[in-house]
Amino acid sequence: MPLARRFTPLTTVEEFLAMEFRDDARYELVDGGIVGQGHPSRAHSTLQGALTRRIGNSLEDRNRRTGQSCVVLPEAGVRPHFDPTHNYRVADLAVTCEPFDPDIPYTTAPVLLVEILSPTEEKAQRAKLHAYAAMPSVREILFLDSRTIRAELHRRDSDNLWPAAPEVLEEEGRLVLETAGLDMPLAELYRDLGF
């Protein structure tokens, strides 16, 4: 008698967003499967807060000058364009200039996505690069290291193409995020970490 294979249906984004998780963990939907993420470290949270403040201040100044209404979103829900029925990711930070819609619990047109790399989650965080890069609105993707002063910035070029390799920034580098109007020494983000 042949063995029957158990079929587990893929979870849809609508089903995922309707779920009530009974813990304080963060979850993503990856190819129809629910994936838990580790709790962020203090270094991760410190970097996230510092970059959120810097980007938020920069956007406020730029919005005032240009009339735009761009915002920074921490823990931003993102619905990638590859199989959007079964994928829902959470970026550490996102910048979007899309109008606010209270009925949509995620950003539909981010221009910047940020992942803060943690030792236990780095592989999963880096795996988001291709999903993020496939979104037409995304202009920049930033990976910040939480263990040392280091960043990798992926930025579309003038032909709307992604470069083969990111711009790597280290302690003496300047972090320039065109999508957020931010230009600052990278090391300033790490000041409260004592690096």
Side-chain angles (χ1 to χ4, degrees), residues 9 14 18 23 27 32 44 49 56 72 79 84 87 99 101 116 131 137 152 156 171 181 184:
E14 286 72 23
D23 56 20
Y27 294 91
H44 179 286
V72 60
R79 200 163 175 180
N87 283 282
D101 184 340
I116 300 167
S137 64
E152 298 170 19
R156 287 187 199 261
E171 191 167 351
M184 65 175 288

Side-chain angles (χ1 to χ4, degrees), residues 69-186:
S69 57
C70 301
V71 295
V72 60
L73 306 171
E75 303 297 321
V78 178
R79 200 163 175 180
H81 286 220
F82 282 146
D83 194 9
T85 302
H86 299 106
N87 283 282
Y88 182 88
R89 304 299 178 93
V90 179
D92 289 318
L93 292 175
V95 168
T96 185
C97 302
E98 65 195 291
F100 176 71
D101 184 340
D103 296 325
I104 300 177
Y106 46 83
T107 176
T108 59
V111 294
L112 167 66
L113 293 166
V114 178
E115 290 293 333
I116 300 167
L117 303 176
S118 301
T120 58
E121 299 289 324
E122 184 170 353
K123 185 177 179 181
Q125 291 164 321
R126 287 186 179 282
K128 297 178 184 182
L129 176 63
H130 298 290
Y132 289 171
M135 299 180 74
S137 64
V138 175
R139 310 299 308 157
E140 295 173 316
I141 302 167
L142 177 67
F143 289 112
L144 276 181
D145 198 312
S146 65
R147 297 160 292 189
T148 187
I149 300 173
R150 187 174 190 281
E152 298 170 19
L153 179 60
H154 301 261
R155 179 183 292 128
R156 287 187 199 261
D157 64 21
S158 59
D159 294 324
N160 206 31
L161 301 173
W162 293 101
E167 176 185 356
V168 176
L169 305 167
E170 294 183 340
E171 191 167 351
E172 300 302 319
R174 289 197 70 79
L175 178 59
V176 178
L177 298 174
E178 295 171 358
T179 53
L182 181 70
D183 182 345
M184 65 175 288
L186 178 63

Side-chain angles (χ1 to χ4, degrees), residues 31-49:
D31 298 328
I34 298 169
V35 178
Q37 295 185 315
H39 289 282
S41 68
R42 183 168 178 184
H44 179 286
S45 297
T46 300
L47 283 171
Q48 186 177 24

Side-chain angles (χ1 to χ4, degrees), residues 15-38:
E15 293 166 338
F16 174 75
L17 292 175
M19 291 179 178
E20 291 185 27
F21 297 99
R22 301 214 187 279
D23 56 20
D24 63 350
R26 185 167 91 173
Y27 294 91
E28 293 184 319
L29 185 65
V30 180
D31 298 328
I34 298 169
V35 178
Q37 295 185 315

